[in-house]
Short mmCIF file of all heavy atoms in Angstrom, two decimals:
data_model
loop_
_atom_site.label_atom_id
_atom_site.label_comp_id
_atom_site.label_asym_id
_atom_site.label_seq_id
_atom_site.Cartn_x
_atom_site.Cartn_y
_atom_site.Cartn_z
N MET A 1 27.98 -26.96 -27.44
CA MET A 1 27.95 -25.96 -26.40
C MET A 1 29.10 -24.99 -26.60
O MET A 1 30.14 -25.35 -27.13
CB MET A 1 28.08 -26.61 -25.04
CG MET A 1 26.98 -27.53 -24.69
SD MET A 1 26.38 -27.08 -23.08
CE MET A 1 25.07 -28.23 -22.97
N ILE A 2 28.88 -23.78 -26.14
CA ILE A 2 29.93 -22.78 -26.17
C ILE A 2 29.97 -22.05 -24.83
O ILE A 2 29.00 -22.09 -24.06
CB ILE A 2 29.76 -21.77 -27.32
CG1 ILE A 2 28.49 -20.95 -27.15
CG2 ILE A 2 29.75 -22.46 -28.67
CD1 ILE A 2 28.43 -19.77 -28.10
N ILE A 3 31.09 -21.40 -24.58
CA ILE A 3 31.25 -20.59 -23.38
C ILE A 3 31.31 -19.13 -23.80
O ILE A 3 32.10 -18.77 -24.67
CB ILE A 3 32.52 -20.97 -22.60
CG1 ILE A 3 32.39 -22.40 -22.07
CG2 ILE A 3 32.76 -19.99 -21.45
CD1 ILE A 3 33.65 -22.91 -21.40
N ILE A 4 30.48 -18.33 -23.18
CA ILE A 4 30.51 -16.88 -23.40
C ILE A 4 31.16 -16.26 -22.17
O ILE A 4 30.75 -16.54 -21.04
CB ILE A 4 29.08 -16.33 -23.57
CG1 ILE A 4 28.43 -16.95 -24.81
CG2 ILE A 4 29.11 -14.80 -23.66
CD1 ILE A 4 26.96 -16.62 -24.96
N GLU A 5 32.16 -15.43 -22.38
CA GLU A 5 32.82 -14.75 -21.27
C GLU A 5 32.34 -13.31 -21.23
O GLU A 5 32.33 -12.62 -22.24
CB GLU A 5 34.33 -14.78 -21.40
CG GLU A 5 35.01 -14.13 -20.20
CD GLU A 5 36.52 -14.32 -20.20
OE1 GLU A 5 37.10 -14.40 -21.30
OE2 GLU A 5 37.09 -14.39 -19.11
N VAL A 6 31.93 -12.88 -20.04
CA VAL A 6 31.45 -11.52 -19.83
C VAL A 6 32.37 -10.85 -18.82
O VAL A 6 32.55 -11.36 -17.72
CB VAL A 6 30.00 -11.51 -19.30
CG1 VAL A 6 29.52 -10.09 -19.06
CG2 VAL A 6 29.07 -12.25 -20.25
N ILE A 7 32.91 -9.71 -19.20
CA ILE A 7 33.72 -8.92 -18.28
C ILE A 7 32.95 -7.63 -18.05
O ILE A 7 32.61 -6.92 -19.00
CB ILE A 7 35.12 -8.64 -18.85
CG1 ILE A 7 35.83 -9.98 -19.08
CG2 ILE A 7 35.92 -7.73 -17.93
CD1 ILE A 7 37.11 -9.88 -19.85
N ALA A 8 32.65 -7.36 -16.79
CA ALA A 8 31.76 -6.24 -16.47
C ALA A 8 32.10 -5.67 -15.10
O ALA A 8 32.79 -6.31 -14.30
CB ALA A 8 30.32 -6.73 -16.49
N PRO A 9 31.56 -4.48 -14.81
CA PRO A 9 31.71 -3.94 -13.46
C PRO A 9 31.10 -4.91 -12.44
O PRO A 9 30.07 -5.55 -12.71
CB PRO A 9 30.92 -2.64 -13.50
CG PRO A 9 30.89 -2.25 -14.94
CD PRO A 9 30.83 -3.54 -15.69
N ALA A 10 31.72 -5.03 -11.30
CA ALA A 10 31.26 -5.95 -10.26
C ALA A 10 29.82 -5.66 -9.83
O ALA A 10 29.09 -6.58 -9.42
CB ALA A 10 32.20 -5.90 -9.07
N THR A 11 29.40 -4.44 -9.97
CA THR A 11 28.03 -4.08 -9.57
C THR A 11 26.97 -4.71 -10.46
O THR A 11 25.79 -4.71 -10.10
CB THR A 11 27.86 -2.55 -9.60
OG1 THR A 11 28.19 -2.07 -10.91
CG2 THR A 11 28.74 -1.87 -8.56
N HIS A 12 27.35 -5.27 -11.60
CA HIS A 12 26.39 -5.88 -12.53
C HIS A 12 26.27 -7.39 -12.37
O HIS A 12 25.55 -8.04 -13.14
CB HIS A 12 26.76 -5.54 -13.97
CG HIS A 12 26.65 -4.10 -14.30
ND1 HIS A 12 25.45 -3.42 -14.32
CD2 HIS A 12 27.60 -3.18 -14.59
CE1 HIS A 12 25.67 -2.16 -14.63
NE2 HIS A 12 26.97 -1.98 -14.79
N GLU A 13 26.97 -7.96 -11.41
CA GLU A 13 27.00 -9.42 -11.26
C GLU A 13 25.60 -10.03 -11.18
O GLU A 13 25.28 -10.97 -11.92
CB GLU A 13 27.80 -9.80 -10.01
CG GLU A 13 27.86 -11.29 -9.77
CD GLU A 13 28.69 -11.66 -8.56
OE1 GLU A 13 29.44 -10.82 -8.03
OE2 GLU A 13 28.57 -12.83 -8.14
N ASP A 14 24.75 -9.53 -10.30
CA ASP A 14 23.41 -10.11 -10.14
C ASP A 14 22.59 -10.02 -11.42
O ASP A 14 21.90 -10.98 -11.79
CB ASP A 14 22.66 -9.43 -9.00
CG ASP A 14 23.25 -9.73 -7.63
OD1 ASP A 14 23.95 -10.75 -7.50
OD2 ASP A 14 23.01 -8.94 -6.70
N SER A 15 22.68 -8.92 -12.12
CA SER A 15 21.93 -8.74 -13.37
C SER A 15 22.38 -9.72 -14.44
O SER A 15 21.56 -10.29 -15.16
CB SER A 15 22.08 -7.32 -13.89
OG SER A 15 21.56 -6.40 -12.97
N ILE A 16 23.67 -9.93 -14.55
CA ILE A 16 24.20 -10.84 -15.56
C ILE A 16 23.78 -12.27 -15.25
O ILE A 16 23.35 -13.01 -16.15
CB ILE A 16 25.73 -10.70 -15.66
CG1 ILE A 16 26.10 -9.31 -16.16
CG2 ILE A 16 26.31 -11.78 -16.58
CD1 ILE A 16 27.55 -8.95 -15.99
N ILE A 17 23.87 -12.67 -14.00
CA ILE A 17 23.45 -14.02 -13.62
C ILE A 17 21.95 -14.20 -13.85
O ILE A 17 21.51 -15.25 -14.35
CB ILE A 17 23.84 -14.31 -12.15
CG1 ILE A 17 25.37 -14.40 -12.04
CG2 ILE A 17 23.18 -15.59 -11.65
CD1 ILE A 17 25.90 -14.47 -10.64
N ARG A 18 21.18 -13.21 -13.54
CA ARG A 18 19.73 -13.28 -13.79
C ARG A 18 19.44 -13.47 -15.28
O ARG A 18 18.61 -14.29 -15.66
CB ARG A 18 19.04 -12.02 -13.25
CG ARG A 18 17.54 -12.09 -13.31
CD ARG A 18 16.83 -10.88 -12.69
NE ARG A 18 17.53 -10.23 -11.59
CZ ARG A 18 18.16 -9.05 -11.68
NH1 ARG A 18 18.16 -8.38 -12.80
NH2 ARG A 18 18.75 -8.52 -10.63
N LEU A 19 20.13 -12.72 -16.12
CA LEU A 19 19.95 -12.85 -17.57
C LEU A 19 20.37 -14.24 -18.06
O LEU A 19 19.70 -14.82 -18.92
CB LEU A 19 20.76 -11.79 -18.31
CG LEU A 19 20.18 -10.39 -18.30
CD1 LEU A 19 21.19 -9.40 -18.85
CD2 LEU A 19 18.90 -10.34 -19.11
N ALA A 20 21.45 -14.76 -17.51
CA ALA A 20 21.88 -16.11 -17.91
C ALA A 20 20.81 -17.13 -17.57
O ALA A 20 20.47 -17.99 -18.39
CB ALA A 20 23.20 -16.45 -17.21
N LYS A 21 20.25 -17.04 -16.38
CA LYS A 21 19.20 -17.98 -15.97
C LYS A 21 17.95 -17.82 -16.81
O LYS A 21 17.32 -18.81 -17.20
CB LYS A 21 18.89 -17.80 -14.49
CG LYS A 21 20.00 -18.28 -13.58
CD LYS A 21 19.66 -18.05 -12.12
CE LYS A 21 20.77 -18.53 -11.22
NZ LYS A 21 20.47 -18.30 -9.80
N GLN A 22 17.56 -16.59 -17.10
CA GLN A 22 16.36 -16.33 -17.90
C GLN A 22 16.50 -16.89 -19.32
O GLN A 22 15.50 -17.22 -19.95
CB GLN A 22 16.08 -14.83 -17.99
CG GLN A 22 15.55 -14.23 -16.72
CD GLN A 22 15.43 -12.71 -16.81
OE1 GLN A 22 15.91 -12.07 -17.74
NE2 GLN A 22 14.79 -12.13 -15.81
N ASN A 23 17.73 -17.00 -19.78
CA ASN A 23 17.98 -17.49 -21.13
C ASN A 23 18.46 -18.93 -21.15
O ASN A 23 19.08 -19.38 -22.11
CB ASN A 23 18.97 -16.56 -21.84
CG ASN A 23 18.32 -15.25 -22.21
OD1 ASN A 23 17.58 -15.19 -23.17
ND2 ASN A 23 18.56 -14.22 -21.43
N ASN A 24 18.14 -19.65 -20.08
CA ASN A 24 18.39 -21.10 -19.99
C ASN A 24 19.85 -21.50 -20.16
O ASN A 24 20.15 -22.51 -20.80
CB ASN A 24 17.52 -21.85 -21.01
CG ASN A 24 16.05 -21.59 -20.78
OD1 ASN A 24 15.60 -21.58 -19.64
ND2 ASN A 24 15.30 -21.38 -21.83
N ALA A 25 20.75 -20.71 -19.59
CA ALA A 25 22.16 -21.10 -19.60
C ALA A 25 22.32 -22.41 -18.85
O ALA A 25 21.64 -22.66 -17.84
CB ALA A 25 23.01 -20.01 -18.95
N ARG A 26 23.18 -23.27 -19.35
CA ARG A 26 23.42 -24.56 -18.69
C ARG A 26 24.14 -24.39 -17.35
O ARG A 26 23.89 -25.11 -16.41
CB ARG A 26 24.26 -25.47 -19.59
CG ARG A 26 23.55 -25.91 -20.80
CD ARG A 26 22.56 -26.97 -20.42
NE ARG A 26 22.00 -27.54 -21.63
CZ ARG A 26 21.26 -28.60 -21.62
NH1 ARG A 26 20.99 -29.21 -20.50
NH2 ARG A 26 20.77 -29.06 -22.74
N ASP A 27 25.06 -23.43 -17.32
CA ASP A 27 25.83 -23.20 -16.10
C ASP A 27 26.49 -21.82 -16.21
O ASP A 27 26.57 -21.25 -17.30
CB ASP A 27 26.90 -24.27 -15.94
CG ASP A 27 27.45 -24.37 -14.52
OD1 ASP A 27 26.92 -23.68 -13.62
OD2 ASP A 27 28.39 -25.15 -14.31
N HIS A 28 26.93 -21.31 -15.10
CA HIS A 28 27.71 -20.06 -15.08
C HIS A 28 28.63 -20.09 -13.88
O HIS A 28 28.35 -20.77 -12.90
CB HIS A 28 26.78 -18.83 -15.02
CG HIS A 28 26.01 -18.74 -13.75
ND1 HIS A 28 24.83 -19.40 -13.56
CD2 HIS A 28 26.27 -18.09 -12.60
CE1 HIS A 28 24.39 -19.15 -12.33
NE2 HIS A 28 25.25 -18.35 -11.74
N TRP A 29 29.75 -19.40 -14.00
CA TRP A 29 30.69 -19.32 -12.89
C TRP A 29 31.53 -18.06 -13.04
O TRP A 29 31.67 -17.51 -14.11
CB TRP A 29 31.58 -20.57 -12.81
CG TRP A 29 32.43 -20.82 -14.01
CD1 TRP A 29 33.74 -20.45 -14.18
CD2 TRP A 29 32.05 -21.51 -15.20
NE1 TRP A 29 34.19 -20.85 -15.41
CE2 TRP A 29 33.17 -21.51 -16.06
CE3 TRP A 29 30.88 -22.11 -15.65
CZ2 TRP A 29 33.14 -22.10 -17.32
CZ3 TRP A 29 30.86 -22.69 -16.90
CH2 TRP A 29 31.98 -22.69 -17.72
N ILE A 30 32.05 -17.61 -11.93
CA ILE A 30 32.91 -16.43 -11.92
C ILE A 30 34.35 -16.91 -12.02
O ILE A 30 34.82 -17.68 -11.18
CB ILE A 30 32.68 -15.59 -10.65
CG1 ILE A 30 31.24 -15.09 -10.65
CG2 ILE A 30 33.68 -14.45 -10.57
CD1 ILE A 30 30.82 -14.38 -9.40
N SER A 31 35.03 -16.48 -13.08
CA SER A 31 36.41 -16.93 -13.28
C SER A 31 37.42 -16.00 -12.61
O SER A 31 38.53 -16.41 -12.31
CB SER A 31 36.72 -17.09 -14.76
OG SER A 31 36.50 -15.89 -15.46
N SER A 32 37.03 -14.74 -12.39
CA SER A 32 37.87 -13.82 -11.61
C SER A 32 37.01 -12.68 -11.09
O SER A 32 35.95 -12.38 -11.64
CB SER A 32 39.05 -13.28 -12.44
OG SER A 32 38.59 -12.42 -13.44
N ARG A 33 37.50 -12.09 -10.02
CA ARG A 33 36.73 -11.02 -9.39
C ARG A 33 37.69 -10.07 -8.69
O ARG A 33 38.69 -10.48 -8.10
CB ARG A 33 35.79 -11.65 -8.36
CG ARG A 33 34.97 -10.67 -7.57
CD ARG A 33 34.26 -11.34 -6.40
NE ARG A 33 33.59 -12.55 -6.78
CZ ARG A 33 32.29 -12.78 -6.60
NH1 ARG A 33 31.56 -11.90 -6.01
NH2 ARG A 33 31.76 -13.92 -6.97
N SER A 34 37.36 -8.80 -8.76
CA SER A 34 38.06 -7.78 -7.98
C SER A 34 36.99 -6.85 -7.43
O SER A 34 35.80 -7.06 -7.67
CB SER A 34 39.07 -7.00 -8.85
OG SER A 34 38.38 -6.16 -9.75
N ASP A 35 37.40 -5.83 -6.72
CA ASP A 35 36.42 -4.89 -6.18
C ASP A 35 35.65 -4.16 -7.27
O ASP A 35 34.50 -3.81 -7.10
CB ASP A 35 37.12 -3.85 -5.29
CG ASP A 35 37.65 -4.45 -4.00
OD1 ASP A 35 37.17 -5.53 -3.61
OD2 ASP A 35 38.54 -3.84 -3.40
N LYS A 36 36.30 -3.97 -8.42
CA LYS A 36 35.69 -3.17 -9.48
C LYS A 36 35.17 -3.98 -10.66
O LYS A 36 34.32 -3.50 -11.40
CB LYS A 36 36.71 -2.16 -10.00
CG LYS A 36 37.11 -1.14 -8.97
CD LYS A 36 38.07 -0.14 -9.55
CE LYS A 36 38.46 0.87 -8.49
NZ LYS A 36 39.33 1.90 -9.03
N GLN A 37 35.65 -5.21 -10.84
CA GLN A 37 35.34 -5.93 -12.07
C GLN A 37 35.19 -7.43 -11.81
O GLN A 37 35.84 -7.99 -10.93
CB GLN A 37 36.49 -5.71 -13.06
CG GLN A 37 36.30 -6.26 -14.41
CD GLN A 37 37.42 -5.82 -15.34
OE1 GLN A 37 37.90 -4.70 -15.26
NE2 GLN A 37 37.84 -6.69 -16.20
N ILE A 38 34.33 -8.06 -12.62
CA ILE A 38 34.18 -9.52 -12.57
C ILE A 38 34.32 -10.07 -13.99
O ILE A 38 34.09 -9.37 -14.96
CB ILE A 38 32.81 -9.96 -12.00
CG1 ILE A 38 31.67 -9.36 -12.81
CG2 ILE A 38 32.69 -9.64 -10.53
CD1 ILE A 38 30.33 -9.98 -12.53
N ALA A 39 34.70 -11.32 -14.06
CA ALA A 39 34.71 -12.06 -15.32
C ALA A 39 33.86 -13.30 -15.08
O ALA A 39 34.18 -14.13 -14.23
CB ALA A 39 36.12 -12.43 -15.73
N LEU A 40 32.75 -13.39 -15.80
CA LEU A 40 31.85 -14.53 -15.69
C LEU A 40 31.94 -15.35 -16.96
O LEU A 40 32.07 -14.80 -18.05
CB LEU A 40 30.40 -14.06 -15.57
CG LEU A 40 29.90 -13.69 -14.21
CD1 LEU A 40 29.95 -12.22 -14.02
CD2 LEU A 40 28.50 -14.21 -14.06
N LYS A 41 31.83 -16.66 -16.81
CA LYS A 41 31.73 -17.55 -17.96
C LYS A 41 30.35 -18.18 -17.91
O LYS A 41 29.89 -18.62 -16.85
CB LYS A 41 32.84 -18.57 -17.93
CG LYS A 41 34.19 -17.89 -18.11
CD LYS A 41 35.28 -18.84 -18.42
CE LYS A 41 36.55 -18.03 -18.64
NZ LYS A 41 37.66 -18.85 -18.98
N ILE A 42 29.71 -18.22 -19.07
CA ILE A 42 28.35 -18.73 -19.16
C ILE A 42 28.34 -19.82 -20.23
O ILE A 42 28.73 -19.58 -21.38
CB ILE A 42 27.36 -17.61 -19.53
CG1 ILE A 42 27.45 -16.47 -18.50
CG2 ILE A 42 25.94 -18.15 -19.63
CD1 ILE A 42 26.73 -15.21 -18.91
N LEU A 43 27.89 -21.01 -19.85
CA LEU A 43 27.82 -22.14 -20.75
C LEU A 43 26.42 -22.20 -21.36
O LEU A 43 25.43 -22.27 -20.63
CB LEU A 43 28.12 -23.43 -19.98
CG LEU A 43 28.13 -24.73 -20.78
CD1 LEU A 43 29.26 -24.72 -21.81
CD2 LEU A 43 28.28 -25.90 -19.84
N VAL A 44 26.36 -22.15 -22.69
CA VAL A 44 25.07 -22.16 -23.38
C VAL A 44 25.09 -23.13 -24.56
O VAL A 44 26.16 -23.46 -25.09
CB VAL A 44 24.68 -20.76 -23.90
CG1 VAL A 44 24.51 -19.77 -22.77
CG2 VAL A 44 25.69 -20.24 -24.90
N GLU A 45 23.91 -23.55 -24.96
CA GLU A 45 23.78 -24.33 -26.18
C GLU A 45 24.18 -23.43 -27.35
O GLU A 45 23.91 -22.23 -27.34
CB GLU A 45 22.33 -24.80 -26.38
CG GLU A 45 21.82 -25.73 -25.30
CD GLU A 45 22.44 -27.12 -25.39
OE1 GLU A 45 22.95 -27.50 -26.47
OE2 GLU A 45 22.40 -27.82 -24.38
N LYS A 46 24.81 -23.98 -28.34
CA LYS A 46 25.31 -23.17 -29.46
C LYS A 46 24.18 -22.39 -30.13
O LYS A 46 24.37 -21.23 -30.49
CB LYS A 46 26.01 -24.06 -30.48
CG LYS A 46 26.74 -23.28 -31.53
CD LYS A 46 27.57 -24.19 -32.40
CE LYS A 46 28.38 -23.34 -33.39
NZ LYS A 46 29.23 -24.17 -34.21
N ASP A 47 23.01 -22.98 -30.26
CA ASP A 47 21.91 -22.27 -30.92
C ASP A 47 21.31 -21.16 -30.08
O ASP A 47 20.48 -20.41 -30.54
CB ASP A 47 20.83 -23.25 -31.37
CG ASP A 47 20.18 -23.99 -30.22
OD1 ASP A 47 20.72 -23.98 -29.10
OD2 ASP A 47 19.10 -24.58 -30.45
N ARG A 48 21.73 -21.02 -28.81
CA ARG A 48 21.26 -19.95 -27.93
C ARG A 48 22.24 -18.79 -27.87
O ARG A 48 22.08 -17.88 -27.09
CB ARG A 48 21.03 -20.47 -26.51
CG ARG A 48 20.13 -21.66 -26.37
CD ARG A 48 18.68 -21.36 -26.32
NE ARG A 48 18.38 -20.37 -25.31
CZ ARG A 48 17.22 -19.73 -25.29
NH1 ARG A 48 16.32 -19.99 -26.17
NH2 ARG A 48 16.97 -18.82 -24.38
N SER A 49 23.29 -18.81 -28.67
CA SER A 49 24.37 -17.82 -28.56
C SER A 49 24.24 -16.67 -29.56
O SER A 49 25.21 -16.01 -29.86
CB SER A 49 25.72 -18.50 -28.75
OG SER A 49 25.82 -19.01 -30.07
N TYR A 50 23.06 -16.40 -30.02
CA TYR A 50 22.85 -15.34 -31.00
C TYR A 50 22.91 -13.97 -30.38
O TYR A 50 22.88 -13.74 -29.25
CB TYR A 50 21.52 -15.51 -31.73
CG TYR A 50 20.36 -15.75 -30.83
CD1 TYR A 50 19.58 -14.69 -30.38
CD2 TYR A 50 20.04 -17.03 -30.40
CE1 TYR A 50 18.51 -14.92 -29.54
CE2 TYR A 50 18.96 -17.25 -29.57
CZ TYR A 50 18.20 -16.19 -29.14
OH TYR A 50 17.14 -16.41 -28.31
#
């Protein structure tokens, strides 16, 4: 397994989580958040990280 970190505008949070779920991510969590930006970590199988 690997962790992919995504740093993006806070307005994209729902879209990123939706994409993680659609691609069978094992888990996801927000590691930091501000009004303008979020950092999400997504746990995936190594063969799904292409």
Side-chain angles (χ1 to χ4, degrees):
M1 297 231 177
I2 64 168
I3 295 174
I4 298 172
E5 183 172 31
V6 179
I7 299 170
T11 56
H12 294 294
E13 179 179 346
D14 292 338
S15 298
I16 296 166
I17 292 171
R18 187 176 329 106
L19 284 170
K21 290 178 180 179
Q22 287 174 350
N23 287 283
N24 301 319
R26 292 285 188 170
D27 198 6
H28 66 275
W29 61 95
I30 297 173
S31 58
S32 69
R33 177 191 312 237
S34 71
D35 291 340
K36 295 182 180 183
Q37 186 173 323
I38 57 166
L40 276 98
K41 294 194 177 182
I42 303 169
L43 182 64
V44 298
E45 297 288 340
K46 190 172 184 177
D47 63 344
R48 306 276 307 164
S49 65
Y50 49 92

